[in-house]
Amino acid sequence: MANDPYAALGLDKTADAAAIKKAYRKIARTSHPDLNPDDPAAEARFKAANAAYELLKDPETRARFDRGEIGADGTEQAPRGYYRDAAGGPQDSYSRSGFDAGRGGAQGDFGGIDPEDIFAAFARHGRGAGGGDPRGGYAGGARFDMPGQDQRYTLEVPFLDAVRGTKTRISLPGGGDLAVTIPAGATDGLTLRLRGKGGAGYGSGPPGDAYVTLAVADDPAFERQGDDIHTRLDISLDEAVLGAKVPARTVDGEVNVTVPAGASSGRVLRLRGRGVKRRGSDARGDHLIELRIALPPNIDDDLRSFIEGWRETHAYDPRGGRT
């Protein structure tokens, strides 16, 4: 990830949470590797934006980064003079030994793991194998076990996939992919925990977990309010006056709904059990359809003449009752 997560999203430090989310979604829609399989530059933009969003979406983590307490990759930043102040102790002996370089990292860089946890693990094993000297214990073959790091990802999900539930795969920044099951009724911001799908453990330590936070996209036809779905349905003048059966879209597909005779714009039809699956239950919310009368695009002479004649004997005031 770039050293400046704000730059990775095309923002400055004054951006609010909504702007950060909007910028990430825009990059994800245009640069996701699945949409640009042969474009390494697009993949790099997506990876940088994903890492930046993971860091900045949480107010506490963002504040820690802004204060310089953590780096752009989320790792703890040692205070100035940290290793010098610890000189002569067991921690200093490991920080200068190049232990992390053996893992492919820079000397003294613990990849986001709290150094105190590593030192404590060494000390425990060292006392058992090296007579109380953690360095002697390690050199003497003591086993070093520690769980792997947890990994965090963000996955943008189409609206209907979140409502219905689905299975998908996400591309990982380091290569490969991860299978994800999205439960029916998933909400925006829901975090899924995938046990054992994080970083590899150290020694015989277990792997970490993967946490996938869902970003549910908007849909032009459907609006979710709790477990209910809201839509609008245009009906013709004759359908409103005479009543009719007309097709309407639901999250399960198209169904025919009955428009009662004399229906006005704004009337709401309720389709029970056609909404979103409730969490922890097989029950579902409802689908509410707001009717909206749409006049023909061209008012011809026949319709105009009929309405004029009808108004002479049946005029009424819809804003104050019948006259």
Side-chain angles (χ1 to χ4, degrees):
M1 177 176 133
N3 289 332
D4 185 355
Y6 294 99
L9 295 172
L11 302 170
D12 57 37
K13 289 189 175 182
T14 62
D16 59 17
I20 290 171
K21 183 176 183 179
K22 182 178 181 181
Y24 166 70
R25 286 186 169 185
K26 181 178 179 181
I27 294 173
R29 282 194 294 267
T30 58
S31 301
H32 195 283
D34 291 346
L35 302 177
N36 304 273
D38 300 317
D39 188 346
E43 181 177 0
R45 286 193 301 271
F46 171 75
K47 290 179 180 178
N50 185 69
Y53 182 62
E54 287 298 318
L55 181 76
L56 300 178
K57 70 178 182 179
D58 182 87
E60 182 178 350
T61 305
R62 178 183 179 183
R64 294 190 66 203
F65 170 77
D66 290 343
R67 292 193 298 265
E69 296 174 5
I70 58 175
D73 59 356
T75 58
E76 297 287 341
Q77 299 296 290
R80 187 181 302 275
Y82 172 78
Y83 296 120
R84 182 181 66 250
D85 295 342
Q91 294 181 355
D92 184 60
S93 65
Y94 284 107
S95 68
R96 293 183 296 170
S97 68
F99 170 77
D100 281 286
R103 297 207 324 259
Q107 183 172 338
D109 177 10
F110 294 93
I113 300 177
D114 189 343
E116 293 185 3
D117 292 339
I118 297 178
F119 299 144
F122 278 150
R124 285 195 301 273
H125 291 299
R127 284 194 295 271
D133 182 353
R135 288 174 293 176
Y138 180 71
R143 188 177 64 188
F144 171 54
D145 301 330
M146 177 173 284
Q149 287 183 275
D150 291 339
Q151 307 290 343
R152 297 184 179 274
Y153 308 98
T154 299
L155 174 62
E156 183 159 354
V157 182
F159 182 89
L160 289 178
D161 283 351
V163 171
R164 298 168 179 166
T166 190
K167 293 184 178 180
T168 187
R169 307 188 77 87
I170 58 175
S171 298
L172 302 182
D177 56 20
L178 187 64
V180 180
T181 298
I182 299 171
T187 55
D188 185 62
L190 175 67
T191 297
L192 306 176
R193 181 183 184 183
L194 307 181
R195 295 183 183 274
K197 298 299 183 180
Y202 300 91
S204 61
D209 298 333
Y211 291 87
V212 181
T213 299
L214 305 182
V216 179
D218 296 329
D219 190 282
F222 300 103
E223 178 184 352
R224 179 174 178 176
Q225 296 183 15
D227 295 322
D228 294 335
I229 295 291
H230 291 247
T231 59
R232 293 185 177 88
L233 177 63
D234 289 339
I235 58 174
S236 65
L237 179 61
D238 57 294
E239 289 169 341
V241 172
L242 304 175
K245 284 189 177 294
V246 298
R249 284 187 61 196
T250 74
V251 295
D252 299 315
E254 191 173 277
V255 299
N256 286 325
V257 298
T258 299
V259 176
S264 298
S265 285
R267 181 161 181 172
V268 175
L269 307 180
R270 183 183 295 269
L271 305 181
R272 297 192 180 278
R274 290 279 188 172
V276 182
K277 185 177 182 293
R278 294 192 173 101
R279 191 170 183 178
S281 170
D282 290 331
R284 295 174 56 175
D286 300 333
H287 185 146
L288 290 88
I289 301 175
E290 179 184 345
L291 301 179
R292 187 167 55 183
I293 299 173
L295 293 177
N298 297 305
I299 306 299
D300 58 26
D301 291 340
D302 288 341
L303 179 58
R304 182 179 292 103
S305 176
F306 170 77
I307 292 298
E308 288 174 347
W310 183 90
R311 183 168 59 182
E312 290 181 1
T313 56
H314 298 82
Y316 70 102
D317 181 1
R319 293 162 296 279
R322 293 184 180 276
T323 58

